[in-house]
Amino acid sequence: MKRFLLATIISGLAMISVNAKTVRNFNSQSDNKLTFKVDSVDYRSDLTRIYGKLIGRPHTSNRIDGVTALTSGSALTSTDIDGVDFHRYFQWEDDGIIPIELDFPIMGIEGFQLLFDTPLGQSQTMVKVRQK
C-alpha cells in the first residue's frame, strides 16, 4: 500500500511538471496611465501567473482595483496580486520599480492584453510573444 501511494504521488508530480511551462520571451507596451513590463509568464495546470514590474515616477502613488486579461476572445479576471494590493494605494520608491505577480485562470501560450482598472481610468498593456 505504501509503495502504491508513493508511486501515485511521484506520477502526479511528474504530470504537474510536464504541464508547467515558463515563457520569458515577451514584449510588452503600455499606455501612459500605468506602465507594466512583463518579465515572464508561468503557465501551470491550475493557473497562469504573470511576473512583471510596475514602472512609475519615484515618490508618486497609484492604485490598481482589478486586472483583466483579454486573450483569444476571452476575458479573464485576475484572482490574486502580490507586490501591491487591490483597492489600496501604493507608492514607488527611489528606483520607480515595483515587482508584482498576477494570477489568472488557465490560459494558452500566446499574446494577450492586460487591462488595469485604476482611479485614472483603464490602462492597457499589450503583451506579445517575441519572435525568435
Side-chain angles (χ1 to χ4, degrees), residues 99-116:
I100 67 167
E101 300 170 11
L102 293 164
D103 289 350
F104 288 93
I106 301 167
M107 67 171 117
I109 300 174
E110 57 202 34
F112 50 89
Q113 180 180 13
L114 294 174
L115 303 175
F116 291 85

Side-chain angles (χ1 to χ4, degrees), residues 39 54 65 69 85 89:
D39 293 330
L54 293 170
D65 295 332
D85 296 320
Y89 278 93

Side-chain angles (χ1 to χ4, degrees), residues 3-117:
R3 287 182 187 173
F4 175 75
L5 182 60
L6 183 60
T8 303
I9 291 172
I10 290 171
S11 68
L13 290 174
M15 288 180 67
I16 289 171
S17 65
V18 168
N19 293 334
K21 180 177 179 123
T22 300
V23 178
R24 290 182 172 79
N25 59 336
F26 286 100
N27 285 330
S28 49
Q29 184 176 8
S30 299
D31 60 18
N32 61 356
K33 292 180 186 164
L34 183 70
T35 301
F36 180 68
K37 177 164 177 9
V38 174
D39 293 330
S40 64
V41 180
D42 193 6
Y43 296 95
R44 301 181 186 179
S45 61
D46 59 338
L47 63 86
T48 300
R49 179 166 289 159
I50 300 172
Y51 297 90
K53 297 176 187 83
L54 293 170
I55 301 170
R57 186 173 167 202
H59 310 292
T60 62
S61 63
N62 205 332
R63 187 180 80 209
I64 297 173
D65 295 332
V67 183
T68 303
L70 302 177
T71 176
S72 298
S74 300
L76 304 171
T77 302
S78 178
T79 57
D80 192 23
I81 188 169
D82 289 326
V84 299
D85 296 320
F86 285 133
H87 304 284
R88 192 168 185 183
Y89 278 93
F90 56 87
Q91 179 174 318
W92 282 277
E93 298 300 330
D94 293 336
D95 65 357
I97 296 172
I98 302 173
I100 67 167
E101 300 170 11
L102 293 164
D103 289 350
F104 288 93
I106 301 167
M107 67 171 117
I109 300 174
E110 57 202 34
F112 50 89
Q113 180 180 13
L114 294 174
L115 303 175
F116 291 85
D117 296 324

